[in-house]
Amino acid sequence: MTYRTVLTGKHFMHGDHACAEGAIAAGCRFFGGYPITPSTEIAERLARRLPEVGGVFIQMEDELGSMAAILGASCGGKRVMTATSGPGLSLMMENLGLGVMLEVPCVVVDVQRGSPSTGLPTMPGQSDVMQARWGSHGDYALVAYSPWSPQEMFDLTVLAFNIADRYRVPVLLMTDEVVGHMVERVIIPPEDQIDHWPRKRPTGRPSGSGNGSFKPFSAEEADLVPPMVHAGEGYRLHFTGLTHDERGYPDMTAETHQRLVTRLVEKINRNADQIIRIDPYYMDDAQIVVVAYGCTARSARRAVRLARERGIPAGLLRLVSLWPFPEQLFNQLAANIETFIVAEMNLGQMALEVERVTKRPVKGVFHAGGEMIAPEPILKAIINNE
Amino acid sequence: MASIQLSNQHPLDSLIRSDRLPHIWCPGCGIGIIMRCYAQAILESGISQEKHVVVSGIGCSGRVAGYMNIDSYHTTHGRAIPFAVGLKLAKPELMVTVFSGDGDLTAIGGNHLIHAARRNVDIKVVCVNNFNYGMTGGQVGPTTPKGARGTTAPYGNPELPFNLPYLMGAAGANYVSRWTTIHVRQTKDDILHSFNHPGFTFIEVLAPCPIGFGKSNNINDGLEEMELYRDRCVLVSDGDVRAEELTIDLREERPIYVGNFIDRDQPPYRPIHLENAQ
């Protein structure tokens, strides 16, 4: 028998499986991971599927190794992914930083559970979203998306691979146990309708001499993204986690450090418009704005609908992308809107961002995790703040 | 009478990033000798230099990646091996060598080391063992002999060291040997041999670290440590050496066994590929 790469058609599919199928459809051909609830189904699906499409699946000894292995495989030219939950994400932070520093495209899925520490392995949480932004040491920027359905587990996984390659950056898929374990309709498009943005690659041929004659970290001014060279292509490249110049050589100076770190952050900021995804509901005339993401946004949409039925001008701003934070949008909104309610399954993390940017006190509907926030407390917050 | 010809070139020029010199290593350090063996082995391997990749972790030995003029990755502390595993499985036609130190590979990277050996992934590991953490200034580590001194063991190291060939043999490595920096030809030949020996190979090379290890342990310079190797090293021929005999302690008048300990022919790790895979 032959195997299908893209399972085009209408499915009743598990969220974690939809993520795995999104990866296969996007051309992911290397997965290195370590089992952890509630993400394990992604690894299990890929253990079955990757060998069918000529890809590599390897179960690593831990999440430190998983993250290092996908970076190595990406440097060999593959599209790569790993999947984990909070405790594993903590271990991946080390080499996530290396991925940022070496500008190695990769996709990291975090199916969030109740945290901190071992927390609630089988129950949902959204309390890793600040760790996603700041968890590795140092200043840096990366990209994070937050699917709210199995359909988006597929769609945003495809997008995550494209963004990772386009901007040479690790992309996180910050989902949660509810969405990961939800079974719902998933429509997988025909193969030729799946976006594939190729990795930016050097145009010149390698001289073969090495010795700094080629500059693998020379970024183009337009997007600040240097073309990616892979191992074995004759460039005699050097990649180091040390502060490096355009040749890739270590350069222990404040000037080079300032230039490099600034570019790594600016490359995301400058391209934020292409990266950010927002899904608005009833926002045209909204006076009260609910901000939510992931599974909580499902309850928030219901709450906003109920509020509208009562004649309250509430709207939902669903953050499809979490990082970079849509500062411009919230700036604009703050000009006309006084009340922002943030609903999230943590004790107030993205709420800090909304507060920072809008400069308005934010009403929080928070829960430490373990169960989905229902529509009622969100509706109550809307009514109380009318 | 024969005339003397001077050359401005060295056979290894193409393999060294001369624009990165001078290097950071201390006088008497053994890492350069082992790096030279590696470069010579690449030159003699018959494998295109474009196909050779070196992956290093952190530390003095980890700096080798920055001096080799081939595709080179200087990764995080302890993670050179899983990075190399990913790279090798993604692009099997590459000859991937992990060149790093004992602290990097066996302490912080110890878990990756044993699992890569267990899987028998086709990567070549060259482990520089200088019995201490040199770059950070002579702290003890998992290879420091019991009783030896270091800056974090001013009263003597209370722990027992790993003995690496025994560990690697038990973990499942296909090929394991040990040399010292006085065994330049053997080291070069063995690295060259490992390129043609499929599976996980591990070559430990004992190296002087006069500033980090020597100064705390009454070894005055690199040359003195090399003399210790010369006087005490015993070549094993049959490879059957028990754990306690592989223990190294430069302060004791006992043999340091060198040579090849493990030479297996187990098939290397291969990811599952289905017959009709696309």
Side-chain angles (χ1 to χ4, degrees):
Chain A
M1 69 176 285
T2 54
Y3 300 100
R4 289 165 67 200
T5 305
V6 180
L7 303 185
T8 303
K10 210 180 274 186
H11 303 266
F12 191 51
M13 196 178 267
H14 185 271
D16 281 350
H17 289 175
C19 173
E21 289 304 330
I24 297 278
C28 172
R29 292 298 177 267
F30 187 96
F31 180 93
Y34 187 80
I36 184 168
T37 306
S39 78
T40 309
E41 295 88 345
I42 297 173
E44 288 173 339
R45 180 89 172 198
L46 287 171
R48 182 172 289 274
R49 287 283 281 136
L50 277 169
E52 293 181 355
V53 298
V56 175
F57 173 90
I58 184 166
Q59 184 172 315
M60 293 299 289
E61 53 274 11
D62 55 31
E63 289 89 345
L64 302 161
S66 302
M67 193 65 214
I70 67 168
L71 295 183
S74 186
C75 288
K78 298 283 188 203
R79 281 193 156 186
V80 302
M81 185 168 97
T82 187
T84 189
S85 189
L89 191 67
S90 292
L91 295 186
M92 288 177 182
M93 281 301 152
E94 175 196 56
N95 286 302
L96 194 76
L98 183 69
V100 168
M101 195 67 154
L102 303 186
E103 303 180 67
V104 177
C106 57
V107 175
V108 177
V109 184
D110 177 10
V111 188
Q112 295 170 87
R113 64 197 219 183
S115 289
S117 192
T118 313
L120 300 167
T122 62
M123 297 154 90
Q126 293 183 313
S127 50
D128 305 347
V129 292
M130 274 292 175
Q131 184 187 24
R133 175 64 188 85
W134 300 106
S136 197
H137 53 283
D139 281 309
Y140 61 96
L142 44 61
V143 177
Y145 293 104
S146 179
W148 76 335
S149 65
Q151 179 67 52
E152 273 196 353
M153 287 289 268
F154 183 92
D155 296 340
L156 292 182
T157 300
V158 174
L159 178 66
F161 277 99
N162 285 332
I163 292 287
D165 266 348
R166 179 65 192 79
Y167 300 106
R168 284 190 64 181
V169 68
V171 177
L172 296 170
L173 199 72
M174 300 300 293
T175 184
D176 52 67
E177 187 274 339
V178 170
V179 176
H181 286 167
M182 182 186 296
V183 179
E184 219 175 43
R185 184 174 61 174
V186 173
I187 296 170
I188 297 181
E191 192 163 354
D192 60 5
Q193 287 174 29
I194 290 171
D195 286 340
H196 188 96
W197 310 347
R199 198 173 280 191
K200 196 202 271 189
R201 305 271 284 131
T203 46
R205 287 170 60 81
S207 72
S209 62
N211 259 320
S213 60
F214 176 70
K215 295 181 174 171
F217 292 93
S218 174
E220 288 162 22
E221 196 46 40
D223 59 5
L224 302 179
V225 182
M228 173 100 178
V229 279
H230 300 148
E233 295 182 330
Y235 288 96
R236 300 190 186 230
L237 57 86
H238 183 56
F239 279 28
T240 174
L242 287 164
T243 294
H244 46 268
D245 60 20
E246 293 183 335
R247 297 171 300 175
Y249 285 12
D251 186 0
M252 304 296 102
T253 63
E255 292 80 11
T256 299
H257 190 66
Q258 169 77 4
R259 192 162 55 239
L260 173 63
V261 177
T262 306
R263 180 176 66 75
L264 292 178
V265 173
E266 273 305 303
K267 129 181 127 168
I268 301 305
N269 290 346
R270 191 181 288 189
N271 298 299
D273 287 350
Q274 276 76 51
I275 295 169
I276 288 170
R277 298 287 186 280
I278 295 293
D279 187 17
Y281 284 87
Y282 310 107
M283 281 297 291
D284 290 345
D285 60 343
Q287 299 292 308
I288 298 170
V289 172
V290 180
V291 180
Y293 52 91
C295 74
T296 309
R298 298 172 78 106
S299 292
R301 185 174 61 171
R302 172 79 181 150
V304 166
R305 273 190 195 145
L306 292 171
R308 286 279 170 171
E309 283 171 15
R310 293 165 183 239
I312 304 170
L316 167 66
L317 204 60
R318 182 167 75 90
L319 304 179
V320 179
S321 58
L322 300 175
W323 307 112
F325 190 73
E327 296 192 4
Q328 218 180 336
L329 173 68
F330 276 91
N331 253 324
Q332 289 162 1
L333 287 173
N336 302 312
I337 290 163
E338 298 226 345
T339 308
F340 289 90
I341 297 169
V342 179
E344 53 186 339
M345 221 189 303
N346 57 53
L347 299 185
Q349 296 194 13
M350 293 312 287
L352 295 172
E353 282 295 277
V354 177
E355 214 161 52
R356 177 180 70 83
V357 176
T358 62
K359 299 183 176 62
R360 294 188 186 284
V362 166
K363 321 288 178 190
V365 181
F366 304 142
H367 190 285
E371 60 182 11
M372 210 173 147
I373 297 176
E376 289 72 24
I378 303 172
L379 178 63
K380 206 169 144 189
I382 294 170
I383 293 168
N384 289 346
N385 287 289
E386 199 193 346
Chain B
M1 195 176 150
S3 64
I4 296 168
Q5 290 196 332
L6 292 176
S7 173
N8 292 325
Q9 291 176 336
H10 187 278
L12 294 177
D13 278 349
S14 68
L15 284 160
I16 310 290
R17 292 188 199 270
S18 52
D19 58 337
R20 291 229 42 225
L21 299 177
H23 58 71
I24 60 151
W25 297 317
C26 307
C29 171
I31 297 168
I33 298 170
I34 308 164
M35 173 173 147
R36 191 215 186 279
C37 293
Y38 174 47
Q40 185 71 32
I42 289 175
L43 201 65
E44 294 177 19
S45 69
I47 301 164
S48 152
Q49 292 181 17
E50 295 186 2
K51 296 298 172 205
H52 279 281
V53 183
V54 60
V55 182
S56 284
I58 297 298
C60 296
S61 302
R63 290 303 188 98
V64 162
Y67 300 131
M68 292 296 298
N69 192 31
I70 54 176
D71 284 342
S72 50
Y73 295 92
H74 180 223
T75 66
T76 39
H77 199 17
R79 317 300 166 218
I81 283 181
F83 188 100
V85 166
L87 182 57
K88 176 68 185 180
L89 298 183
K91 212 163 183 179
E93 65 269 31
L94 298 177
M95 179 59 67
V96 180
T97 301
V98 171
F99 198 118
S100 223
D102 52 309
D104 183 75
L105 288 168
T106 77
I108 190 166
N111 199 32
H112 310 304
L113 179 70
I114 57 174
H115 286 282
R118 171 182 65 78
R119 292 187 185 104
N120 200 19
V121 182
D122 187 18
I123 57 173
K124 315 292 130 193
V125 179
V126 177
C127 174
V128 179
N129 181 2
N130 58 15
F131 312 106
N132 81 123
Y133 290 95
M135 184 168 272
T136 43
Q139 295 78 31
V140 294
T143 52
T144 310
K146 188 173 183 181
R149 290 176 195 277
T151 56
T152 49
Y155 309 111
N157 178 26
E159 302 180 16
L160 285 169
F162 266 144
N163 115 35
L164 297 177
Y166 205 66
L167 175 70
M168 287 290 87
N174 236 4
Y175 188 83
V176 180
S177 53
R178 173 198 281 161
W179 300 104
T180 79
T181 46
I182 207 164
H183 299 91
V184 175
R185 286 178 196 282
Q186 293 92 331
T187 301
K188 184 269 287 175
D189 286 345
D190 222 22
I191 296 173
L192 184 58
H193 173 78
S194 75
F195 292 153
N196 295 308
H197 194 109
F200 187 90
T201 67
F202 183 87
I203 300 171
E204 175 187 17
V205 189
L206 310 185
C209 177
I211 309 298
F213 185 75
K215 72 174 182 216
S216 304
N217 291 285
N218 300 321
I219 301 168
N220 291 316
D221 54 26
L223 192 60
E224 189 176 323
E225 191 164 329
M226 298 277 267
E227 283 166 354
L228 288 175
Y229 297 156
R230 186 194 60 194
D231 296 344
R232 298 205 202 138
C233 281
V234 174
L235 180 68
V236 296
S237 48
D238 60 0
D240 179 26
V241 176
R242 284 167 297 145
E244 52 271 29
E245 288 168 348
L246 286 174
T247 301
I248 307 162
D249 195 334
L250 299 176
R251 301 161 307 165
E252 291 176 10
E253 298 285 337
R254 48 181 288 173
I256 299 168
Y257 289 98
V258 297
N260 173 242
F261 304 105
I262 304 284
D263 189 354
R264 298 172 179 142
D265 200 20
Q266 294 298 316
Y269 175 89
R270 288 192 60 187
I272 303 289
H273 283 285
L274 300 179
E275 233 169 72
N276 295 314
Q278 294 188 341

